[in-house]
């Protein structure tokens, strides 16, 4: 009879251990811990996301010149010539570069250095209207026009019609 009691007690305990609320919580807890540890064990390429930004630009000149986030545009106000048939340093065909220009200083994330950038407007034809980008690092109020980027710099060119803006590296700022 004692043997039967002991067998019955043991099987009851086993059922209680595996079906109690505490056991269920313990099991869920262990799943959570195992689940969060899983990505650390799997061979996931963690570098891919970071490499993407650098791969879009040239070495030493990271980022996408079609995007307003590109480092050289830190002080630009205008339409990006890269979206208008030009490049970051050359106007679209049939459009003339302005010689008077707005100058800014932007930090290149590739080397941490500050570069002097000129934001020459391209003049002629009609306004491009693509990729409007307004970032105003180091801009000064309008009453200091040579430190303000909200100006049509085509005023010194043959045609005063503004088309788009370049971002040309002029040198390293000390
Ligand atoms: N420098 C770009 C620009 C052109 C016209 C008007 C405002 C800003």
């Amino acid at each position: 009879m004692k043997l039967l009691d002991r067998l019955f007690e043991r099987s009851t305990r086993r059922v209680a251990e595996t079906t109690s609320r505490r056991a269920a919580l313990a099991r869920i807890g262990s799943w959570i811990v195992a689940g969060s540890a899983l990505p650390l064990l799997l061979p996931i390429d963690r570098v891919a996301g970071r490499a993407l930004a650098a791969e879009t630009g040239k070495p030493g000149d990271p980022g996408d010149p079609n995007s307003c986030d590109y480092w050289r545009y830190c002080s630009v106000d205008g339409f990006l010539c890269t979206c208008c048939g030009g490049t970051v340093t050359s106007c679209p065909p049939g459009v003339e570069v302005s010689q008077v220009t707005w100058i800014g200083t932007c930090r290149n994330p590739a080397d941490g250095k500050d570069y002097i950038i000129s934001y020459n407007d391209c003049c002629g034809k009609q306004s491009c209207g693509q990729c409007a980008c307004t970032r105003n690092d180091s801009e000064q109020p309008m009453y200091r026009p040579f430190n303000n980027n909200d100006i049509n710099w085509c005023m010194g060119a043959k045609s005063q019609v503004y088309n788009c803006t370049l971002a040309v590296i002029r040198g390293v700022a000390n």
Side-chain angles (χ1 to χ4, degrees):
M1 204 55 178
K2 254 191 181 162
L3 184 72
L4 212 61
D5 276 353
R6 214 173 292 153
L7 273 175
F8 188 71
E9 183 194 337
R10 204 177 293 167
S11 65
T12 314
R13 278 189 191 282
R14 198 164 301 150
V15 169
E17 271 169 18
T18 52
T19 57
S20 72
R21 213 179 315 161
R22 197 187 302 168
L25 285 174
R27 194 169 309 154
I28 291 168
S30 64
W31 286 343
I32 291 170
V33 171
S36 57
L38 205 59
L40 301 174
L41 305 172
L42 296 175
I44 294 169
D45 182 5
R46 271 172 266 276
V47 184
R50 269 181 286 143
L52 205 62
E55 275 164 14
T56 51
K58 297 177 196 133
D61 186 8
D64 177 7
N66 291 310
S67 161
C68 191
D69 294 332
Y70 179 52
W71 69 274
R72 286 196 210 179
Y73 298 147
C74 79
S75 196
V76 76
D77 181 343
F79 302 119
L80 306 180
C81 286
T82 50
C83 302
C84 306
T87 70
V88 74
T89 55
S90 62
C91 293
V95 180
E96 182 203 10
V97 67
S98 64
Q99 295 306 324
V100 279
T101 183
W102 156 246
I103 299 275
T105 306
C106 300
R107 183 154 299 169
N108 182 344
D111 58 12
K113 288 185 187 161
D114 294 325
Y115 287 81
I116 298 163
I117 310 288
S118 72
Y119 298 100
N120 301 71
D121 286 345
C122 293
C123 316
K125 291 189 176 172
Q126 72 286 2
S127 189
C128 162
Q130 303 294 312
C131 300
C133 179
T134 306
R135 292 173 58 187
N136 296 325
D137 282 17
S138 66
E139 190 202 17
Q140 300 265 310
M142 192 61 108
Y143 58 78
R144 301 191 63 188
F146 287 98
N147 291 321
N148 185 282
N149 65 0
D150 197 14
I151 284 178
N152 182 356
W153 293 102
C154 293
M155 58 192 164
K158 249 184 259 155
S159 166
Q160 277 76 59
V161 181
Y162 166 71
N163 184 267
C164 62
T165 304
L166 308 173
V168 185
I169 295 177
R170 297 294 173 183
V172 180
N174 295 317

